[in-house]
Amino acid sequence: MSAVPADSLPDQADVLIIGAGVIGLSVAYALRQAGRDVLVLDQGRAGGGASHGNCGTLTPSHALPLAQPGMVVKALRWMLKRDAPFYVQPRVDPALWTWLFRFAGRCNDTAMRDVGRYKAAFLKASRTRLADWIAAEQWECEFAARGQIAVYKDPATFAAQEALRPLLSEIGIDMLPKSGAEVLRMSPGLKADIHAGHFYPGDAEFRPDRYVAALLAGVRKHGVTVTEHCAVSGFVEQAGQVQGVTAGGKTIKAREVVLASGVLSPKLGNTLGIRLPIQPGKGYSITFEKPSQPPALPLVLKERAICVTPWGSAYRLGSTMEFSGLSERLNPLRIAAIKRGAAEYLLEPYGPSEVEQWYGFRPMTFDDLPIIGPAPRHRGLWIASGHGMLGMSMSAATAEQLAAMIQERATPFDPKPMLPARFG
């Protein structure tokens, strides 16, 4: 679709949000509920990025960060396999290698516990608020609060995860061990050689594309203007005060500007000298028509790091983490690895026909915490990005946290761990 004509854009806005993914639209919803007038601009289709084809699980169970003890050795081993669950494409990229070095520095018990404790509270609150929003607005998105099962074929993998159960209990995450027989009773459709599982009753799911479509319709119904196919090229700033943006060939003034454009946030931030150490973590998914015997519950196939989400309307396999920059190539090796891994666990791993093969870029920070708060040294500019693999799960809490900041009200969470200023 062609770009929006300049004369169709407003000259000014109260709050202008850059990015119409789940984070930008959620912030728009919370600010509109607080009485602010909001304009959202997106360079493409609303919800067309990482918000579209993810697995749609809402997972407080994923509170512990990707950076854990032993992860560096595991990642180095996986780098030799192009279809591994975690893959870094070898290349000369100083920003990537700096990010990886800082990520490696976080792979320790203390950092894991600190991040996990903070994220657990944030994720649980967001999960509750998302359910509230969906119920209040009657958004049709196949939301279900059924929990999720992590499935293990290897006793050693199960034992390693079981060792984390006391920590998860300490930070408020219920993780219930189940025998292989119990897993099969809870979710038929798995092969009989399942060793064990962990059931996470606090998790939920929805179909993400339908949720974002409902959220988009909802914010528009409440009076938010969302303009698609309108790229923001820079900011208007004077004496350290951001006063608007340039977009669609014109200047749009704004009282507040929110940068919520996922993996594209660093490029725009750089125009003001703002460091946002976000790397694109490429994820893949395959959506099928629903098979005749799908799992009864969302699953994580632990040894292969594959998510399985069965909805009433469809069925999705997804996950993997590939650091290959912003390459727009859909890597067939990754798709094949997902299919192959699912076939190890599921009686009917594929539906009768494929609906979509997809990839999207997750905005990954090395400390596995999102970036939420005022931009350092630039008044009037706010950041809401870096949510990694948990943008859907964290969206509502992010919106309420940032809306409180912009409104100069007490925040639901201690802002310090997520502030952009932590990067200098």
Side-chain angles (χ1 to χ4, degrees):
M1 186 178 291
S2 60
V4 172
D7 59 8
S8 70
L9 295 170
D11 295 319
Q12 60 185 15
D14 177 18
V15 182
L16 188 152
I17 298 174
I18 306 168
V22 72
I23 300 298
L25 292 175
S26 297
V27 172
Y29 180 79
L31 284 169
R32 188 66 191 127
Q33 294 294 103
R36 302 297 292 265
D37 291 323
V38 184
L39 168 67
V40 183
L41 303 178
D42 196 285
Q43 72 167 20
R45 179 177 61 83
S51 297
H52 173 75
N54 63 81
C55 286
T57 49
L58 306 171
T59 49
S61 63
H62 287 28
L64 296 183
L66 186 63
Q68 296 184 16
M71 186 61 189
V72 173
V73 173
K74 186 182 292 186
L76 289 171
R77 185 171 68 249
W78 279 341
M79 281 181 67
L80 302 176
K81 295 181 60 179
R82 294 180 63 196
D83 62 353
F86 185 102
Y87 175 68
V88 180
Q89 183 185 62
R91 63 189 188 278
V92 178
D93 184 342
L96 171 63
W97 291 104
T98 298
W99 189 98
L100 288 170
F101 179 78
R102 300 189 73 175
F103 173 86
R106 305 283 303 180
C107 292
N108 60 74
D109 188 71
T110 299
M112 178 182 71
R113 289 173 178 272
D114 289 345
V115 171
R117 186 172 293 106
Y118 188 85
K119 281 178 64 180
F122 200 82
L123 284 161
K124 288 171 69 178
S126 194
R127 154 75 178 80
T128 298
R129 296 303 292 139
L130 277 166
D132 292 343
W133 288 6
I134 291 167
E137 299 285 350
Q138 298 184 328
W139 289 334
E140 296 293 335
C141 57
E142 299 185 62
F143 173 79
R146 301 183 291 178
Q148 180 172 246
I149 307 176
V151 179
Y152 307 84
K153 293 172 73 74
D154 180 9
T157 309
F158 173 74
Q161 195 68 21
E162 179 71 5
L164 294 172
R165 186 153 59 93
L167 172 57
L168 286 167
S169 178
E170 178 186 319
I171 64 178
I173 303 299
D174 292 329
M175 172 184 176
L176 309 179
K178 301 292 180 180
S179 68
E182 288 175 313
V183 170
L184 292 171
R185 283 196 296 270
M186 293 176 70
S187 188
L190 287 158
K191 290 185 175 179
D193 62 348
I194 298 302
H195 169 70
H198 284 118
F199 177 54
Y200 297 95
D203 288 358
E205 86 270 6
F206 52 35
R207 185 158 175 177
D209 51 342
R210 294 188 177 182
Y211 174 72
V212 176
L215 176 59
L216 173 63
V219 298
R220 282 176 164 160
K221 182 186 76 172
H222 289 298
V224 173
T225 299
V226 181
T227 301
E228 302 170 281
H229 307 286
C230 180
V232 172
S233 55
F235 298 96
V236 178
E237 184 190 30
Q238 185 173 358
Q241 177 80 35
V242 171
Q243 300 178 334
V245 304
T246 53
K250 71 179 295 183
T251 295
I252 305 173
K253 293 183 178 180
R255 182 177 168 189
E256 316 279 357
V257 177
V258 177
L259 178 56
S261 51
V263 295
L264 302 180
S265 298
K267 183 178 179 180
L268 276 173
N270 284 341
T271 66
L272 292 176
I274 298 170
R275 282 185 62 247
L276 296 176
I278 290 171
Q279 283 292 319
K282 195 173 185 181
Y284 291 81
S285 72
I286 315 159
T287 305
F288 298 90
E289 291 182 346
K290 191 169 68 171
S292 60
Q293 50 179 346
L297 296 172
L299 306 174
V300 178
L301 313 179
K302 289 295 287 189
E303 287 83 5
R304 299 302 178 207
I306 293 169
C307 295
V308 183
T309 315
W311 300 298
S313 62
Y315 166 82
R316 182 167 291 166
L317 305 175
S319 203
T320 80
M321 180 67 70
E322 175 185 316
F323 288 92
S324 56
L326 290 171
S327 167
E328 296 185 357
R329 175 175 176 262
L330 193 147
N331 187 339
L333 288 176
R334 314 297 287 177
I335 295 294
I338 292 172
K339 289 182 176 180
R340 188 169 59 250
E344 294 178 19
Y345 295 78
L346 300 168
L347 292 171
E348 191 177 352
Y350 323 126
S353 65
E354 283 190 20
V355 176
E356 181 181 33
Q357 294 185 356
W358 174 90
Y359 69 84
F361 299 105
R362 310 176 184 103
M364 306 295 296
T365 60
F366 60 80
D367 62 5
D368 212 32
L369 287 170
I371 306 170
I372 304 171
R377 301 178 297 280
H378 299 279
R379 299 184 307 278
L381 178 63
W382 306 84
I383 313 293
S385 191
H387 293 77
M389 297 180 287
L390 298 174
M392 290 286 171
S393 293
M394 291 185 164
S395 57
T398 295
E400 296 196 339
Q401 178 83 353
L402 191 63
M405 289 180 166
I406 292 172
Q407 297 290 98
E408 298 184 346
R409 296 174 180 166
T411 58
F413 299 91
D414 176 11
K416 186 175 179 180
M418 298 186 291
L419 290 176
R422 72 186 189 267
F423 303 120

